[in-house]
Amino acid sequence: MPILLTSLILFLLTPLPGMASDTQDAAYAGGGTQTCLACHTQGPGPAVAGIFGTPHGQLGDARTPLAGEHGCETCHGPSAAHIRQPGEVRPPVRFGPEGDDVANPDTQNGVCLGCHQKDHVNWQGSTHDAEGVTCTSCHKIHDRDDPVRDHATQAETCFGCHLDKRTQANLPFRHAIREGDVACSSCHDPHGGKGPSMLARHSVNDTCYTCHAEKRGPFLVEHEPVQDDCTHCHAPHGSVNERMLKVRPPFLCQQCHVASRHIGTLYDSGRLASRNNRLIGNACANCHSQVHGSNHPAGNTFRR
Amino acid sequence: MKPEQPVHHGNPHPGRHHLGQWPGLLLSGLLMSVATWAAADEFGYPDAETETATPAGDTAEPRSGPTGSIEPGLLWLHGTDGKSGEYNGLQSDGFRGVLRFEFLDRADWRSGDTRYRKASGRDIGTGTGDLFAEIGEQGAYKLRFGFRQIEHVDRNDAISPFTGSAYNLTLPAGFNAADRSFYNDADLGVKRESISLYGERILDSRWTLITDISHETKQGDKPTAAGQGFRGSAIAIQPIDYSHTQVDLRLRSAETRLQWEMGYYFSHFDNDDQALTFQNPFFAAADPQQLALPPENAFHQFSINGGYLLSERTRLNAYAAWSRALQDEAFLPYTVDAGGFYNFGGPEPPLPRNSLDGQVDQANLHLGFVTRVTRRWRVEGQYRFEDRDNRTPNDVYRFLHYNGNADDNWGNHVNSRSRHTFELETRYRLRNRMKVAAGYQHQRTHRDTDLLEPHHHHNAMGVLETTSTLTNRSHMAREDEAWSEIRFPPARRLSTRIKISAGKRSVSSSSAYDLHNEDHDATAPAYLLDREHVQLEAAGTWQASDRAALSASWQNRREVYNNSAFGADRVDSDQLSLDLALNTGQPLSGNLFLALQHAESSQNSRNNGGDRNLPVSGRWSLTSEDTAYHAGFGIDWRPTGDDLEVGLDYTFMDTENAIRSVHQTTGSDHLPDTETRIHRFSLNAEVPVENRLTVVTGYQYQRYDSENWSWSEGYFDVLGFGWNSPNHSAHAVMLGVRLDF
């Protein structure tokens, strides 16, 4: 076992052959940004001047890519060959969602992480990293306004891949995602969260408590599934049922509570006709309104 | 006008690969045909092979100095109701002024001066607007002030008989629940307002200090239960006057190989009052009753998060946090109905303690690694540990039933949990964009509950005594899941992804689940039941050209609860989404989408005659089905280049909830389906009239039809609250002028 472990550690420490930059043998064009702008503002190349209105384009900040001697090539790689033959040779680091015509995701993201790793220490190993999502899959680097960084427009970017979430966010009972008051990043950290499902905080409940702190407790009377995981009962992306419940009450409650007396009663059309107070209105919550926890010394059935 | 998410125009991820297979093939084929037509040369799209993948951007450099825009407008609303204004603050008809603006003052990018000022305001006047102001020097510091409003309307058609002050609800003299004249109109909803201050100071090339402070107030009303059972139930209006303060401090360090961040997070929740007192409309109206409102609580967390680049091949990540949640608000008395219905039939017994002294400690640890064995082969693993240690004291309290029948004692349940999760996954990139991946996860969750169980017995003198025994109940859930995935391109512009995962959970318990000493022998909460699940996913994209893409995804999940004698026994869900994006550049672009989601869960139980001592009778089973159809399209039209812009969006949502049951003796039954249909249409235009002046106009229409038997008859009583299922046809017209400077 020690030999195996030592071998594994040594293996992990060794550099990967060919792992170094794809651009290491290429030559820089020189001339900084002006060389590129000759074509990429008025010329035939794609226009990119919007970047000068973004933090990336500020020469006064020595950390920015354009402040360095290589200008655009800081990110796009040494492009002397591209300058000589723009129609035939592409810059070595081409950005975009994973595909044939762009650099592989690791190369692309490696460029960004060269400066931004400190902001996104959990990126490696995140679901997005594993799935080959590139930074430019979501971010528009050359535009002054990056829609994914705006609460009001962020979800549009996320829905591009998470098609099912678009439908859920438009169900009758939902969070205010359509209005932009709640953004995907209100709960999730797309760069690698601390919790499951890339949640920004380390658990479902702690994420929910950032807005719903009144449900955190601790309470005298805890409702076990509530403190265990809000998603036992709620569908946070939207639901057909009121209060974003996974199943409408009283039937949701009866998936766990099946004991004697009214708890095990079948609430059917006959009881609807008689307007049974365990079925209409808020169903069980017509009496048991404190289901998220009660601090009342006589609140052991969540009625106080 | 408060913007809503438009149907998105163009696929923001033209290279993403999703295409549904099995149930969507027919529809996919139809849409592919449309996409093929859209991609044809005669439609004007360049051949993808000669087209650059980089989208066109700005051709002019941004102006330096103060720039921005201001857009005052007038909004007219008609046909609104609480649901139409649920989240946008537009729940009442009439005119209102709205404003949005943007401002940025930044020196020329070549100047070397990186100081800037910026501010923005959005939807000011709607009740759900926001304001931000930021100053900073790039590379040195950033200071941002924010103000946000979020309004959530619950109902604006409620009625309530209760009067009196906010936390002390009384009924009018001679109250008659069936008489509408005793009820008053009431609006229900909450409004959040938060102020925030974010600061970031870059100390040097290695250290950064970040401070994020916010304070939010949440005020309004919500419905709650004003009945104590067995004598009818009523809904009362509960005032909400919460405040929540959060402080997030982080110190960040960045070196070539090691990046880490140390943080402290503090959250404090406060409630304006701790009790709601009310009269029961059904009994002893003169005697008040009381329920506890959410108590003041606080949460502290210390964390450290870091990553280390072990080699070009391998990176390690770690996160550790320790948290403490506290709550020690003074207890309310057992009852304020000393001489009425809910009392002990004598002197009120003393509480075992004056406050809970609640304390929950949490510990979290995540360790992970990612390594590339070769350039094509990636392996990653994670270990997560979560511990919720509830250190709240156990005590015995009195069970206050009614009319002197304080017939039992009970011990508060103190629930704790610890969970270990191990994950290992590997991915291999084959040739021709083909990838295979597989993963395995093992999770062990140990939940335990401590409580003092009271026991009644007669002592040697024959006097009834109650003693308590500390009891621990524990459950160990072990869950394993394995998955595999393949991504492959069946054709040059077509790529697909297919994933299958399956898992099994087994739960062992220290004792039969017995929550309230009732007949629970054969049941447990669904998350403590054995379970098997299988999930299939298929997704893909057909990239007809760089300007036309068809994406689709399909998912099916089946969960079976194997040992469920009563309660949940099965959950099935399906999701299908199709998305056609056309981004032709100017003058026309748009997209079309269709989606179907269906979830079905089944459960079973039994009647037993309303008394725990009666024999079991009437087994029954029930199925709940939720179905949603969602469709829409969006078009952007710019007939004259960058000047005139017209956007048109339409979406349709149709949802249904169906409850079907079968009873052992009474047979099959079904409740009326609950249905909701929503049509949303919007037409927006921006018309430049001068160099920097643009007329901005828009029209939104929303038709909302719903039928929900919970509220459908507008019950004029203390339970129904007078509510109806929302139905409206709401119109909104906006006219504004944007001045760019």
Side-chain angles (χ1 to χ4, degrees):
Chain A
M1 190 66 180
I3 295 173
L4 186 65
L5 198 60
T6 306
S7 303
L8 179 64
I9 291 171
L10 287 174
F11 170 76
L12 294 176
L13 285 168
T14 57
L16 187 63
M19 192 69 187
S21 167
D22 295 340
T23 62
Q24 61 184 352
D25 298 327
Y28 287 100
T33 55
Q34 295 308 319
T35 304
C36 305
L37 291 176
C39 291
H40 289 281
T41 50
Q42 305 299 327
V48 295
I51 198 169
F52 302 117
T54 74
H56 282 129
Q58 306 307 306
L59 299 193
D61 182 356
R63 304 170 308 161
T64 61
L66 298 191
E69 61 175 314
H70 299 307
C72 306
E73 294 173 285
T74 306
C75 296
H76 290 281
S79 302
H82 170 66
I83 300 297
R84 288 193 300 271
Q85 299 171 289
E88 297 168 19
V89 180
R90 310 287 297 275
V93 184
R94 296 178 303 281
F95 292 90
E98 190 175 11
D100 290 336
D101 199 36
V102 296
N104 74 58
D106 290 335
T107 300
Q108 289 188 51
N109 295 343
V111 171
C112 304
L113 290 169
C115 295
H116 293 284
Q117 181 74 75
K118 66 180 187 303
D119 306 314
H120 309 303
V121 294
N122 299 321
W123 170 259
Q124 288 89 346
S126 70
T127 303
H128 279 165
D129 173 42
E131 295 281 329
V133 176
T134 64
C135 303
T136 53
S137 299
C138 306
H139 291 287
K140 294 185 184 304
I141 306 301
H142 288 117
D143 293 357
R144 195 183 101 172
D145 298 317
D146 187 1
V148 80
R149 290 172 61 88
D150 185 337
H151 261 217
T153 53
Q154 183 187 89
E156 187 181 339
T157 301
C158 305
F159 293 158
C161 292
H162 301 280
L163 302 178
D164 56 324
K165 299 299 181 290
R166 175 177 53 199
T167 295
Q168 291 164 19
N170 281 279
L171 289 170
F173 303 98
R174 59 191 174 83
H175 278 117
I177 297 170
R178 290 182 59 242
E179 291 78 4
D181 293 332
V182 177
C184 305
S185 63
S186 300
C187 303
H188 298 278
D189 184 345
H191 303 106
K194 300 175 178 70
S197 300
M198 301 180 81
L199 287 172
R201 301 198 66 80
H202 57 249
S203 71
V204 171
N205 283 29
D206 280 313
T207 302
C208 301
Y209 296 153
T210 57
C211 292
H212 304 282
E214 74 276 13
K215 296 179 173 63
R216 179 169 51 207
F219 294 98
L220 168 61
V221 192
E222 287 195 341
H223 193 186
E224 288 171 77
V226 173
Q227 273 72 43
D228 197 76
D229 190 332
C230 303
T231 61
H232 285 323
C233 300
H234 294 284
H237 295 111
S239 172
V240 171
N241 305 300
E242 289 194 79
R243 312 290 170 194
M244 291 194 280
L245 291 170
K246 284 179 158 178
V247 176
R248 72 176 299 159
F251 312 111
L252 172 71
C253 308
Q254 290 183 313
Q255 292 197 342
C256 294
H257 298 281
V258 296
S260 60
R261 296 178 289 181
H262 66 281
I263 301 170
T265 299
L266 173 61
Y267 295 99
D268 55 11
S269 55
R271 285 179 167 79
L272 177 61
S274 64
R275 300 188 54 229
N276 188 292
N277 69 351
R278 285 107 187 211
L279 180 61
I280 64 168
N282 285 325
C284 305
N286 287 332
C287 295
H288 305 278
S289 60
Q290 310 299 301
V291 290
H292 293 107
S294 171
N295 210 49
H296 197 290
N300 56 325
T301 53
F302 303 111
R303 287 182 294 162
R304 295 183 175 86
Chain B
M1 177 180 288
K2 179 71 178 173
E4 294 185 341
Q5 291 292 335
V7 177
H8 81 258
H9 298 257
N11 182 0
H13 312 297
R16 305 296 297 165
H17 308 304
H18 304 281
L19 181 65
Q21 290 291 297
W22 299 293
L25 276 178
L26 188 63
L27 199 50
S28 300
L30 178 64
L31 287 171
M32 284 178 183
S33 302
V34 176
T36 306
W37 167 78
D41 286 344
E42 56 269 30
F43 199 60
Y45 301 125
D47 178 25
E49 288 187 339
T50 60
E51 177 73 3
T52 175
T54 309
D58 296 336
T59 55
E61 292 181 20
R63 289 189 296 127
S64 58
T67 60
S69 66
I70 183 166
E71 185 184 314
L74 194 63
L75 190 61
W76 176 76
L77 303 164
H78 177 71
T80 59
D81 72 359
K83 193 65 180 175
S84 72
E86 184 178 16
Y87 285 119
N88 56 20
L90 307 178
Q91 67 275 17
S92 55
D93 290 357
F95 286 93
R96 67 184 67 187
V98 291
L99 176 70
R100 57 171 54 196
F101 67 89
E102 283 184 348
F103 169 77
L104 172 66
D105 183 10
R106 186 193 278 276
D108 184 85
W109 62 279
R110 288 162 288 226
S111 69
D113 183 357
T114 61
R115 291 174 299 173
Y116 66 91
R117 297 176 294 162
K118 63 180 179 182
S120 67
R122 189 157 45 194
D123 304 320
I124 298 165
T126 64
T128 58
D130 55 48
L131 285 166
F132 288 95
E134 182 176 318
I135 59 170
E137 181 176 351
Q138 193 175 314
Y141 75 93
K142 176 191 294 184
L143 196 61
R144 182 170 62 229
F145 169 79
F147 171 73
R148 298 190 71 195
Q149 298 172 307
I150 300 176
E151 191 164 3
H152 181 201
V153 178
D154 197 338
R155 303 273 177 171
N156 67 348
D157 60 351
I159 57 172
S160 174
F162 292 102
T163 56
S165 65
Y167 294 100
N168 189 8
L169 304 178
T170 56
L171 290 166
F175 172 68
N176 176 1
D179 186 345
R180 176 69 172 81
S181 66
F182 282 99
Y183 293 77
N184 301 307
D185 293 338
D187 292 342
L188 296 178
V190 294
K191 185 167 192 172
R192 294 172 184 261
E193 291 186 339
S194 72
I195 54 173
S196 61
L197 187 64
Y198 176 89
E200 187 176 308
R201 179 80 173 99
I202 298 172
L203 303 174
D204 57 31
S205 61
R206 177 180 172 186
W207 298 97
T208 304
L209 182 65
I210 297 169
T211 309
D212 194 356
I213 302 170
S214 68
H215 178 75
E216 180 183 82
T217 59
K218 182 178 177 182
Q219 294 180 315
D221 302 284
K222 63 173 271 193
T224 192
Q228 302 294 325
F230 303 104
R231 287 284 176 172
S233 46
I235 296 176
I237 296 174
Q238 174 188 319
I240 290 179
D241 192 353
Y242 301 160
S243 65
H244 185 203
T245 303
Q246 297 179 86
V247 177
D248 194 358
L249 303 174
R250 282 172 279 164
L251 180 64
R252 188 175 284 173
S253 167
E255 297 174 272
T256 305
R257 288 185 175 274
L258 175 67
Q259 301 84 33
W260 60 272
E261 180 181 280
M262 186 168 60
Y264 168 68
Y265 170 76
F266 168 69
S267 162
H268 177 256
F269 167 80
D270 198 9
N271 196 345
D272 185 51
D273 209 332
Q274 69 172 130
L276 178 67
T277 306
F278 57 89
Q279 291 178 299
N280 187 333
F282 288 97
F283 186 76
D287 297 321
Q289 293 157 45
Q290 199 170 62
L291 57 82
L293 300 179
E296 178 185 358
N297 66 66
F299 180 80
H300 304 264
Q301 182 180 73
F302 299 91
S303 65
I304 187 162
N305 188 192
Y308 183 72
L309 191 66
L310 196 61
S311 70
E312 285 81 359
R313 186 194 297 271
T314 305
R315 183 174 169 85
L316 308 176
N317 286 328
Y319 169 76
W322 180 86
S323 320
R324 171 165 288 177
L326 298 166
Q327 190 271 108
D328 197 27
E329 190 164 275
F331 280 145
L332 298 169
Y334 279 117
T335 180
V336 290
D337 186 20
F341 190 68
Y342 292 99
N343 66 84
F344 288 93
E348 186 175 336
L351 288 161
R353 54 194 307 116
N354 294 324
S355 60
L356 181 64
D357 194 19
Q359 180 179 319
V360 175
D361 292 346
Q362 293 184 75
N364 292 74
L365 176 66
H366 301 174
L367 301 172
F369 75 92
V370 184
T371 188
R372 283 168 178 75
V373 182
T374 70
R375 285 177 65 89
R376 293 178 178 272
W377 185 15
R378 168 189 165 117
V379 177
E380 65 179 82
Q382 284 193 50
Y383 165 70
R384 292 171 181 262
F385 171 69
E386 307 164 53
D387 183 65
R388 180 185 193 267
D389 181 13
N390 193 338
R391 306 172 75 88
T392 301
N394 286 104
D395 279 297
V396 172
Y397 298 81
R398 300 295 296 271
F399 177 53
L400 176 60
H401 201 176
Y402 57 87
N403 207 18
N405 290 314
D407 59 358
D408 211 346
N409 296 335
W410 64 279
N412 58 312
H413 293 202
V414 175
N415 305 302
S416 297
R417 181 190 68 225
S418 63
R419 175 177 290 151
H420 302 266
T421 306
F422 304 88
E423 290 180 45
L424 188 66
E425 66 180 61
T426 182
R427 295 169 187 270
Y428 192 81
R429 184 157 47 93
L430 301 163
R431 296 182 180 203
N432 302 322
R433 291 171 28 217
M434 180 180 285
K435 293 179 182 176
V436 291
Y440 170 75
Q441 176 181 292
H442 173 73
Q443 188 174 85
R444 278 185 292 159
T445 307
H446 179 261
R447 297 177 175 90
D448 69 346
T449 301
D450 289 330
L451 75 158
L452 286 171
E453 281 194 311
H455 304 283
H456 304 290
H457 60 89
H458 291 88
N459 63 17
M461 304 294 290
V463 177
L464 184 66
E465 285 188 340
T466 300
T467 58
S468 303
T469 308
L470 183 64
T471 303
N472 177 272
R473 300 172 189 157
S474 64
H475 306 269
M476 173 63 83
R478 293 176 177 81
E479 183 152 19
D480 295 278
E481 184 186 65
W483 59 268
S484 62
E485 179 186 85
I486 182 168
R487 295 173 184 235
F488 61 99
R492 192 171 66 89
R493 289 186 169 274
L494 180 63
S495 57
T496 58
R497 177 175 73 90
I498 298 172
K499 182 177 180 181
I500 181 169
S501 57
K504 183 175 184 178
R505 180 174 69 201
S506 59
V507 183
S508 58
S509 303
S510 63
S511 62
Y513 198 79
D514 186 13
L515 189 60
H516 292 305
N517 293 321
E518 294 178 337
D519 192 5
H520 271 277
D521 288 347
T523 188
Y527 63 92
L528 289 179
L529 291 172
D530 288 359
R531 182 184 72 176
E532 291 182 5
H533 75 266
V534 177
Q535 183 166 310
L536 294 170
E537 296 172 60
T541 292
W542 181 47
Q543 191 71 42
S545 76
D546 287 319
R547 291 176 170 176
L550 175 67
S551 301
S553 71
W554 172 75
Q555 179 180 301
N556 171 272
R557 182 178 174 90
R558 294 178 186 279
E559 299 179 3
V560 178
Y561 297 87
N562 300 316
N563 60 346
S564 172
F566 300 102
D569 57 34
R570 185 173 57 82
V571 178
D572 295 339
S573 62
D574 288 280
Q575 297 173 344
L576 173 67
S577 301
L578 298 167
D579 197 307
L580 173 63
L582 301 173
N583 187 2
T584 68
Q586 294 173 353
L588 199 65
S589 64
N591 88 325
L592 166 71
F593 68 86
L594 300 166
L596 163 66
Q597 298 196 2
H598 177 258
E600 178 178 327
S601 69
S602 65
Q603 59 198 85
N604 64 86
S605 189
R606 62 189 181 192
N607 289 358
N608 61 0
D611 189 322
R612 70 171 77 175
N613 298 315
L614 291 178
V616 172
S617 65
R619 292 289 299 256
W620 55 267
S621 62
L622 181 138
T623 301
S624 171
E625 286 185 71
D626 289 342
T627 308
Y629 303 94
H630 190 208
F633 66 87
I635 296 171
D636 262 353
W637 183 47
R638 300 186 185 198
T640 56
D642 289 333
D643 294 339
L644 176 64
E645 180 178 356
V646 178
L648 185 151
D649 290 299
Y650 169 77
T651 62
F652 171 68
M653 172 69 79
D654 186 350
T655 69
E656 180 181 285
N657 168 259
I659 304 289
R660 307 280 186 271
S661 61
V662 179
H663 191 276
Q664 188 178 27
T665 53
T666 58
S668 299
D669 185 79
H670 62 88
L671 289 165
D673 292 348
T674 300
E675 297 180 356
T676 303
R677 282 174 298 281
I678 310 166
H679 299 266
R680 293 190 179 99
F681 171 81
S682 70
L683 180 64
N684 300 289
E686 294 194 1
V687 186
V689 291
E690 281 187 22
N691 185 26
R692 294 183 177 180
L693 200 63
T694 303
V695 172
V696 180
T697 184
Y699 168 72
Q700 282 190 8
Y701 170 75
Q702 177 174 286
R703 181 176 174 83
Y704 194 102
D705 297 313
S706 66
E707 187 61 40
N708 184 343
W709 44 258
S710 288
W711 317 107
S712 61
E713 295 178 27
Y715 307 127
F716 289 126
D717 65 11
V718 285
L719 177 61
F721 228 37
W723 291 348
N724 287 298
S725 303
N727 286 284
H728 63 250
S729 293
H731 306 262
V733 178
M734 200 278 279
L735 181 63
V737 177
R738 186 178 69 231
L739 175 66
D740 296 304
F741 58 88

